Amino acid sequence: MLEAAATRSGAQATALADHHGLLVGGAGHACDLEQLAALGTHRARLGPDPAPSDELLEAFTCGEDLYASPLGLGRDVYYLISLGARVRRHRDIEAGLLRILASS
């Protein structure tokens, strides 16, 4: 599902992280998905405009845009993170992830 979302949106990579920033799932070979999950979760908590001096973020993304947004999956909050383009159709992704998590 995350691979399809990345392809559909033109993102280089996507990751789903838990509230601790740990990788739950991901797709893409452009980067370290575990690091993408951790940095994306941090970014989501900071808001859309992190401090310009965030050298770690800039070094990791190589100037590409990093998008991160919370997803409410039942009682839990996860973060959908993408590199290079914003993932579209969040509600469809939330619904699919809820089905996947309910079956496991």
Side-chain angles (χ1 to χ4, degrees):
M1 178 186 303
L2 294 174
E3 186 173 347
T7 299
R8 186 173 51 242
S9 302
Q12 296 174 19
T14 57
L16 180 68
D18 69 7
H19 67 280
H20 296 293
L22 298 175
L23 180 68
V24 175
H29 302 288
C31 64
D32 178 341
L33 294 174
E34 289 180 352
Q35 191 171 21
L36 180 65
L39 288 172
T41 301
H42 178 72
R43 170 78 183 262
R45 290 180 178 157
L46 285 179
D49 296 316
S53 63
D54 193 348
E55 296 170 8
L56 178 61
L57 181 63
E58 184 63 28
F60 178 74
T61 63
C62 298
E64 291 291 331
D65 292 328
L66 179 71
Y67 298 95
S69 58
L71 296 178
L73 301 176
R75 294 181 185 169
D76 299 317
V77 174
Y78 289 82
Y79 294 92
L80 180 62
I81 300 128
S82 60
L83 182 63
R86 182 179 299 279
V87 171
R88 301 184 317 236
R89 303 181 70 163
H90 282 203
R91 289 184 189 197
D92 292 344
I93 293 170
E94 281 179 336
L97 290 171
L98 278 170
R99 284 191 303 273
I100 291 168
L101 293 171
S103 68
S104 56

